[in-house]
Amino acid sequence: VQLQASGGGLVQAGGSLRVSCAASGRTFRWYSMGWFRQAPGKEREFVASVERTTGRTYYADSVQGRFTLSRDNALKKAHLQMTLLKPEDTAVYFCAAGSTGMNPGDYEYWGPGTQVTVSS
């Protein structure tokens, strides 16, 4: 699976942004999809994931209620809608495909990341 994230950018605090992940290669629906983020000097952290079969979603406590993850198996895409953004959401956001989980090691395939910057 090859992954490509898009949609990052600069937004003011309180604003919204949607980042998307497009997949190609092996069957997209075989994989759970996850989003992680990494800020400068910090470890990569879990943001959200969506299961491959049930579509059930999981969120980090820090984004629960503000971010919504969805997937479109027909178009091989996963979308992370981010609202009420805060400066601490600033990071490079990575999409990943693999088994459902909250650890980077649960995912086999990674996209190159897209920068999200939230100004105060």
Side-chain angles (χ1 to χ4, degrees):
V1 174
Q2 292 79 44
L3 303 173
Q4 182 64 53
S6 62
L10 174 64
V11 63
Q12 289 187 332
S16 299
L17 201 63
R18 187 175 85 160
V19 290
S20 298
C21 182
S24 61
R26 293 190 177 187
T27 307
F28 176 76
R29 65 179 182 270
W30 290 354
Y31 299 95
S32 295
M33 299 298 297
W35 281 94
F36 290 76
R37 66 187 182 186
Q38 189 166 18
K42 295 187 176 181
E43 293 186 352
R44 191 167 298 190
E45 65 173 0
F46 172 78
V47 176
S49 65
V50 56
E51 288 187 343
R52 63 183 181 92
T53 53
T54 66
R56 183 175 179 178
T57 52
Y58 302 86
Y59 299 94
D61 290 343
S62 59
V63 306
Q64 180 75 48
R66 300 188 297 122
F67 290 13
T68 303
L69 176 58
S70 61
R71 66 185 294 160
D72 186 328
N73 287 340
L75 296 180
K76 298 183 180 181
K77 289 187 175 181
H79 305 288
L80 184 67
Q81 179 68 46
M82 304 181 290
T83 63
L84 300 175
L85 283 161
K86 306 174 181 179
E88 50 264 44
D89 293 319
T90 295
V92 176
Y93 283 69
F94 299 89
C95 64
S99 302
T100 299
M102 297 184 179
N103 297 307
D106 294 325
Y107 297 85
E108 301 173 60
Y109 304 98
W110 291 82
T114 184
Q115 176 71 46
V116 172
T117 303
V118 184
S119 63
S120 58

